[in-house]
Amino acid sequence: MPKFIIERDIPSVGSFSDEQLEKISQNSCSILRQLGPDIQWVESYVTPERVYCVYIAENEDIIRKHAEAGGFPVDRISEVKSIIDPTTAGKING
């Protein structure tokens, strides 16, 4: 299944308490269980004003269904086409 990055603009999210983030995460997981195996939340990165979520999903539509059911904003969905890291550069000689 494809991998997606979802951008969510959430004012002041970086200052949310651990309890607030836990509640949001629990809500998300509950909805994911209802949607079934066509969507999986991998992880999310919380910045001061935005959350970047990594999902594996059958398509964008199911990501939007998840967001709508949970009341989560979806400002952008981007399908991951490749993953690169330092090893992509090849073997370093020296």
Side-chain angles (χ1 to χ4, degrees), residues 14 18-19 24 38 42 47 52 64-67 70 75 91:
D18 289 344
E19 291 80 18
I24 291 166
D38 293 335
V42 177
T47 67
Y52 298 90
R64 293 188 189 283
K65 285 180 187 176
H66 171 263
D75 295 286
K91 186 176 179 181

Side-chain angles (χ1 to χ4, degrees), residues 80 82-89:
V80 175
S82 296
I83 298 174
I84 61 173
D85 62 28
T87 63
T88 307

Side-chain angles (χ1 to χ4, degrees), residues 39-74:
I39 183 169
Q40 177 187 352
W41 175 28
V42 177
E43 61 189 348
S44 294
Y45 300 91
V46 178
T47 67
E49 302 292 326
R50 185 171 287 154
V51 178
Y52 298 90
C53 303
V54 180
Y55 278 74
I56 297 170
E58 185 175 272
N59 55 50
E60 286 188 33
D61 290 340
I62 197 163
I63 292 169
R64 293 188 189 283
K65 285 180 187 176
H66 171 263
E68 184 178 322
F72 309 123
V74 174

